[in-house]
């Protein structure tokens, strides 16, 4: 239960068999390829990349076709309602089933069909928009009762159609007052403008033009043949017809959307196919032979070899060795018991361990459980979370990742309930419970309890550091970096405890000298890696200065008590507010219930969020800093991350 | 009246309720101001993100909520003080309660704003690399530590001495 042991392999196989081999390995799944492009020795031997860019381009084209079809059809697909859909979840396939199903599907005709329909729909929509725009332009001219074509036939007189700003109307009237053979008419108006038709003749035409220019006249050409109102009627008819045509296409697409699941399967299949092509880019080779290197979990190596043999016969050469303990390239795969597995997300969030480290997940899980419960601590909140997560786990079909996430909170809810009983808190005390502590008055006890948890947590972290050093046979390091710290810290803590409670004189003396001895040890050995006497002394003193960090670490655990208390008080305040209005008639009663539900829900969310992140902080900062570095690469199994299905 | 006499008369005077009330007010409004500004900063950043990627709303809301706790800590302290208010409270008790309210008031104010800025930076993690956005939350929580410490001290001060 920890980091999975890896075997490093080098495989030489004929290039002609590459496709088959990769296909077989994809069924096997547990193989992590190493990128050989950076490998100097291999490239100096004359091996080169066997990349085939055309393959990748071809698959990408296929993928984008399927993707556009999916995007189009998703708009039409009638989704089931939220809860029902979640209950059903995504379809689950094994890799074999996926390949089987995908081979039965020919997506090309679907794609062509959908694309044609969509293109047509787009062009119909454009035509509709255009007609709408024309109508908008014609509306101001609606009261014009002659066909526009007539206006265009006039050749003796000069005709102007266009707009002027409303506020310049008086000015225009004034300008045109003395004109004799000029006629103007206001046909329509909108918010700011008047729509005019102006007719003039002969000499006056030029002057009229001048006057119009003075009144900010802007010319509009009316694009119409019939009278505007007739034209509008025709356009509206056209729009209706277009709408009908769009509807027909929509119906066809709706029918087509039943093919969506087929397209989705094809999409996943193509993605896995793409992964095979991309994986081949990691290899080097000559014209005939490929060199493939990577890692396989040791316990699966036999199966790995068997599969290769089955595919390639005897035409291969396979070398294997245990992965190098100190190797930086060894990919990390974690394996833990059912209870611990959901906590792996926390380890991953910080950083995966390196191959020579230990997997901290089982070590952090119990602490995280306790801390989370202590900070959220409410029976009611815990029960809600328990029921919620339980029902989701029981009735919903979830992907592995989501399931792990829900399970994580399922386990945490027990801790929240237990701490809730200890704190005697049910929805912030709506029903009085007799707890072990009374948070409002016993906060001192809780503070001490929090610090004690911190003490255990930090000492445990140091013990792990010692364990790693001893495992690697660095006994001195274990004594210098952990042993002395234990002595100094314990001495200091007991000595300080003296000031609060009475301890026998002998304890006081021993603790004092233990503290001094530990500190001397730290100063003497802390700078052992530095060069020169000054460096060593300075390094040692600097190490001792680290003791201030420990003070900070211990204090940091006071958040365990503080968050629990704050959550309890806020819940109590909500109840108080609800209680204030509850007695004031039926309306007050309803208001009280609303306040209670809203307030408690808010506090529930806040409590869990706070507990979640602050527990993480205690693990990452206070605990991990003692023994854990991390920085390992994730084991990438040879399977694409599915989007539309669950792949087992 | 000399200084000593003034002090003596002060200890004997009542009317401490004014200071206690002032303390409750300070605890609530300073920390509330901090949280309001902090939440505002994050909200502005988050709004820009949601334009392009509305599906990240839920996660951005978590980040926005983080600087809100300071105001709640202040609120809790304020409520506790309210529970102790009494018209006959001595001047010394009132001033003591006033002092007890200062840590959460001031630290809540400044840390709320600082946490808001950190969380707003976390929004940009959310925008560019969603998988890592929890790390942005953790950065913001680092700031919160000090608000929590102040809250603990205010709480202890408030309950440590009984008059």
């Amino acid at each position: 239960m920890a980091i999975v042991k890896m075997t490093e392999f080098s495989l030489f196989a004929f290039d002609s068999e590459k496709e088959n081999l990769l296909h077989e390995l994809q069924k096997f799944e547990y193989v992590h390829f190493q990128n050989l492009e950076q490998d100097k020795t291999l490239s100096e031997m004359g091996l080169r990349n066997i990349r085939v860019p055309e393959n990748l381009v071809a698959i990408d084209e296929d993928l984008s076709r399927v993707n556009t079809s999916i995007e189009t059809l998703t708009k039409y697909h009638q989704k089931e309602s939220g809860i029902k859909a979640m209950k059903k979840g995504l379809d689950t396939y094994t890799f074999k089933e996926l390949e089987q199903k995908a081979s039965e599907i020919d997506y090309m005709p679907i794609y062509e069909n959908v694309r044609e329909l969509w293109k047509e729909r787009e062009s119909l929509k454009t035509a509709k928009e255009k007609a709408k725009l024309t109508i908008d332009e014609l509306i101001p001219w609606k009261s014009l009762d002659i066909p526009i074509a007539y206006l265009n036939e006039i050749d003796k007189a000069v005709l102007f159609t266009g707009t002027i700003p409303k506020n310049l109307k008086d000015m225009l009237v004034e300008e045109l007052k003395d004109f004799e053979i000029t006629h103007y008419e206001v046909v329509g108006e909108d918010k700011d403008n008047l729509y005019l038709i102006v007719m003039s003749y002969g000499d006056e035409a030029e002057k009229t033009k001048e006057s119009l220019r003075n009144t900010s006249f802007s010319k509009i050409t009316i694009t119409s043949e019939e009278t505007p109102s007739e034209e509008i009627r025709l356009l509206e008819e056209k729009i209706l017809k277009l709408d009908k045509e769009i509807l027909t296409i929509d119906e066809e697409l709706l029918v087509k959307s039943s093919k969506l699941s087929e397209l989705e399967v094809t999409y996943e299949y193509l993605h896995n196919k793409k992964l095979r092509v991309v994986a081949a880019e990691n290899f080097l080779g000559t014209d005939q032979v490929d060199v493939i290197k990577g890692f396989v979990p040791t316990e699966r190596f036999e199966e790995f070899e068997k599969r290769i043999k089955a595919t390639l016969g005897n035409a291969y050469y396979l070398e294997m060795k245990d992965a190098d303990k100190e190797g930086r390239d060894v990919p990390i795969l974690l394996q833990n018991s059912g209870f611990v597995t959901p906590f792996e997300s926390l380890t991953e969030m910080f950083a995966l361990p390196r191959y020579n480290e230990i997997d901290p997940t089982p070590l952090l899980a119990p602490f995280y459980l306790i801390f989370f419960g202590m900070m959220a601590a409410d029976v009611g909140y815990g029960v809600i979370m328990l029921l919620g997560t339980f029902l989701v786990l029981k009735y919903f079909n979830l992907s592995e990742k989501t399931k792990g996430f829900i399970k994580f909170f399922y386990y945490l809810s027990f801790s929240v309930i237990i701490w809730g009983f200890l704190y005697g808190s049910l929805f912030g005390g709506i029903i009085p419970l007799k707890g072990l502590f009374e948070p409002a008055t016993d906060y001192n006890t809780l503070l001490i309890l929090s610090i004690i948890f911190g003490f255990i947590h930090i000492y445990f972290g140091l013990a792990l550091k010692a364990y790693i050093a001893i495992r690697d046979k660095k006994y001195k390091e274990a004594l210098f970096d952990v042993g002395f710290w234990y002595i100094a810290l314990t001495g200091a803590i007991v000595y300080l405890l003296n000031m609060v409670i009475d301890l026998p004189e002998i304890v006081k003396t021993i603790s004092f000298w233990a503290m001094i001895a530990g500190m001397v040890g730290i100063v003497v050995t802390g700078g052992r890696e530095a060069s020169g006497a000054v460096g060593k002394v300075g390094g040692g003193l600097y190490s001792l200065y680290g003791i201030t960090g420990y003070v900070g670490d211990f204090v940091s655990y006071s958040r365990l008590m503080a968050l629990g208390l704050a959550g309890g008080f806020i819940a109590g305040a909500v109840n108080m507010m609800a209680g204030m209005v509850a007695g004031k008639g039926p309306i007050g009663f309803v208001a009280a219930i609303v306040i209670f539900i809203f307030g408690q829900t808010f506090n529930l969310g806040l409590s869990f969020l706070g507990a979640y992140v602050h527990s993480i902080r205690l693990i990452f900062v206070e605990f991990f800093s003692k023994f854990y570095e991390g920085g390992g690469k994730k084991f990438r199994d040879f399977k694409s991350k599915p989007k539309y299905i669950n792949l087992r | 009246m000399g200084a000593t006499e003034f002090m003596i008369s002060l200890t004997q005077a009542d009317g401490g309720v004014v200071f206690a009330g002032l303390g409750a007010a300070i605890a609530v409004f300073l920390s509330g101001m901090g949280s309001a500004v902090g939440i505002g900063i994050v909200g502005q950043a988050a709004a820009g993100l949601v334009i392009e990627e509305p599906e990240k709303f839920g996660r951005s809301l978590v980040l926005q909520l983080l600087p809100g706790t300071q105001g709640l800590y202040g609120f809790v302290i304020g409520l506790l003080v309210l529970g102790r208010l009494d018209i006959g409270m001595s001047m010394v008790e009132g001033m003591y309660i006033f002092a007890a309210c200062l840590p959460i008031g001031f630290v809540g104010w400044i840390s709320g704003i600082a946490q808001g800025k950190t969380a707003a930076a976390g929004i940009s993690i959310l925008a560019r690399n969603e998988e890592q956005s929890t790390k942005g939350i953790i950065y913001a929580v680092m700031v919160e530590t000090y608000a929590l410490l102040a809250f603990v001290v205010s709480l202890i001060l408030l309950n440590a001495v009984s008059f």
Side-chain angles (χ1 to χ4, degrees), chain A residues 527-537:
Chain A
R528 62 185 181 280
E529 265 149 32
S531 55
V534 182
K536 281 189 200 308
V537 174

Side-chain angles (χ1 to χ4, degrees), chain A residues 59 155 181 211 271 291 293 333 351 379 414 420 452 504:
Chain A
I59 286 192
D155 55 355
I181 38 178
S211 303
H271 243 284
V291 182
K293 284 187 171 199
L333 184 65
V379 180
F414 289 100
I452 290 174

Side-chain angles (χ1 to χ4, degrees), chain A residues 24 27-28 303-312:
Chain A
E24 184 63 27
K27 281 188 215 156
F28 170 65
E303 194 196 339
F304 174 66
E305 194 168 8
K306 230 164 67 192
R307 279 176 185 262
I308 292 177
K309 208 175 171 88
T311 322
L312 302 179

Side-chain angles (χ1 to χ4, degrees), chain A residues 349-350 440 443 447 555 558-559 561-563 565-566 569-570 573 576 602 606 609 612-614 616-617 620-621 641, chain B residues 62 65-66 69 72-73 75-76 79-80 131-132 134-135 137-138 141-142 144-145 148-149 151-152 155-156 159-160:
Chain A
M349 198 189 297
F350 185 80
Y443 59 88
L447 185 60
V555 172
S558 67
R559 77 185 68 228
M561 157 264 201
L563 275 166
L565 238 57
F569 278 125
I570 294 167
M576 204 170 86
F602 174 74
L606 207 67
L609 175 63
Y612 176 70
V613 289
H614 283 281
I616 288 181
R617 185 222 139 105
F620 285 5
V621 180
K641 228 187 195 172
Chain B
V62 169
L65 211 58
L66 290 174
T69 40
L72 289 172
Y73 299 147
F75 174 67
V76 167
L79 273 187
L80 289 180
E131 304 230 317
Q132 303 297 324
T134 320
K135 287 175 185 166
I137 298 178
I138 291 167
V141 166
M142 295 292 170
E144 172 134 344
T145 302
L148 267 170
L149 293 179
F151 173 61
V152 171
L155 199 66
I156 293 177
N159 288 287

Side-chain angles (χ1 to χ4, degrees), chain A residues 253-421:
Chain A
L253 282 169
L254 186 67
V255 173
K256 277 276 168 295
S257 76
S258 64
K259 298 271 181 202
L260 199 58
S261 70
E262 289 185 12
L263 287 172
E264 287 172 352
V265 165
T266 311
Y267 178 86
E268 301 297 352
Y269 167 76
L270 286 174
H271 243 284
N272 274 299
K273 194 167 161 194
K274 179 180 175 183
L275 194 66
R276 290 202 289 276
V277 176
V278 173
E281 298 197 339
N282 290 318
F283 310 156
L284 291 182
T286 63
D287 284 341
Q288 272 90 38
V289 178
D290 292 345
V291 182
I292 302 167
K293 284 187 171 199
F295 295 89
V296 170
T298 306
E299 56 185 24
R300 291 178 188 272
F301 187 77
E302 257 179 54
E303 194 196 339
F304 174 66
E305 194 168 8
K306 230 164 67 192
R307 279 176 185 262
I308 292 177
K309 208 175 171 88
T311 322
L312 302 179
N314 281 323
Y316 71 94
Y317 175 71
L318 180 65
E319 239 180 28
M320 60 158 287
K321 62 170 194 236
D322 284 345
D324 180 12
K325 264 265 161 253
E326 305 295 323
R328 294 238 163 192
D329 292 332
V330 187
I332 303 299
L333 184 65
L334 301 180
Q335 194 177 44
N336 284 296
S337 65
F339 164 66
V340 175
T341 308
F343 291 85
E344 277 172 10
S345 64
L346 298 177
T347 306
E348 248 174 80
M349 198 189 297
F350 185 80
L352 281 169
R354 282 216 292 272
Y355 195 55
N356 62 354
E357 286 189 301
I358 49 176
D359 175 12
T361 317
L363 309 165
L364 66 82
F367 285 105
Y368 192 90
L369 199 68
I370 295 172
F371 293 165
F372 188 95
M374 192 167 176
M375 289 194 252
D378 189 286
V379 180
Y381 295 174
V383 168
I384 288 180
M385 184 154 83
L386 178 65
L387 284 179
T389 50
F390 176 77
L391 291 176
V392 167
L393 283 174
K394 191 159 163 49
Y395 291 111
F396 288 7
N397 176 14
L398 306 165
S399 68
E400 280 304 309
K401 204 178 162 195
T402 326
K403 204 183 232 168
F405 190 65
I406 303 283
K407 247 189 198 160
F408 178 66
F409 286 101
Y410 173 71
Y411 292 134
L412 292 177
S413 64
F414 289 100
S415 175
V416 175
I417 294 174
I418 292 171
W419 277 104
F421 276 115

Side-chain angles (χ1 to χ4, degrees), chain A residues 395-628:
Chain A
Y395 291 111
F396 288 7
N397 176 14
L398 306 165
S399 68
E400 280 304 309
K401 204 178 162 195
T402 326
K403 204 183 232 168
F405 190 65
I406 303 283
K407 247 189 198 160
F408 178 66
F409 286 101
Y410 173 71
Y411 292 134
L412 292 177
S413 64
F414 289 100
S415 175
V416 175
I417 294 174
I418 292 171
W419 277 104
F421 276 115
L422 290 177
Y423 276 35
S425 170
L426 189 131
F427 289 119
I430 191 88
I431 300 165
L433 279 178
K434 183 81 195 96
L436 197 60
F437 313 103
E438 184 53 53
T441 50
D442 288 348
Y443 59 88
N444 248 334
T445 324
L446 288 175
L447 185 60
I448 291 167
L449 188 68
S450 302
I451 306 288
I452 290 174
F453 274 132
F455 179 81
I456 296 170
H457 202 205
I458 287 173
Y459 268 46
F460 184 57
L462 280 171
L464 290 171
K465 187 177 188 176
Y467 164 77
I468 295 170
I470 291 168
R471 185 195 66 179
D472 296 343
K473 306 209 163 45
K474 294 174 182 161
Y475 303 113
K476 270 192 206 158
E477 219 166 83
L479 174 68
F480 294 163
D481 291 342
V482 181
F484 286 150
W485 276 106
Y486 268 160
I487 297 171
L489 284 174
T490 316
I493 289 166
V494 175
Y495 186 69
L496 287 174
L497 219 56
N498 254 317
M499 300 177 180
V500 193
I501 42 175
D502 266 337
L503 291 173
E505 195 61 26
I506 180 82
V507 176
K508 193 173 168 184
T509 322
I510 291 174
S511 63
F512 179 73
W513 288 109
M515 176 177 82
I516 298 295
M519 286 177 169
V520 170
I522 291 165
V523 173
V524 171
T525 62
R528 62 185 181 280
E529 265 149 32
S531 55
V534 182
K536 281 189 200 308
V537 174
L541 286 173
Y542 183 72
S543 292
L544 184 61
Y545 177 70
I547 208 160
T548 55
Y550 280 89
V551 176
D553 286 353
F554 287 126
V555 172
S556 179
Y557 285 87
S558 67
R559 77 185 68 228
L560 288 175
M561 157 264 201
L563 275 166
L565 238 57
F569 278 125
I570 294 167
V574 169
N575 294 343
M576 204 170 86
M577 286 187 278
M580 277 191 243
V581 295
K584 297 193 168 70
I587 297 171
F589 190 72
V590 173
I593 289 175
V594 171
I595 290 174
F596 179 77
I597 292 176
F598 182 78
Q600 294 290 357
T601 312
F602 174 74
N603 190 37
L604 177 144
L606 207 67
S607 291
F608 286 156
L609 175 63
Y612 176 70
V613 289
H614 283 281
S615 306
I616 288 181
R617 185 222 139 105
L618 288 179
I619 302 281
F620 285 5
V621 180
E622 274 74 22
F623 187 53
F624 277 178
S625 64
K626 302 296 172 287
F627 73 101
Y628 187 68

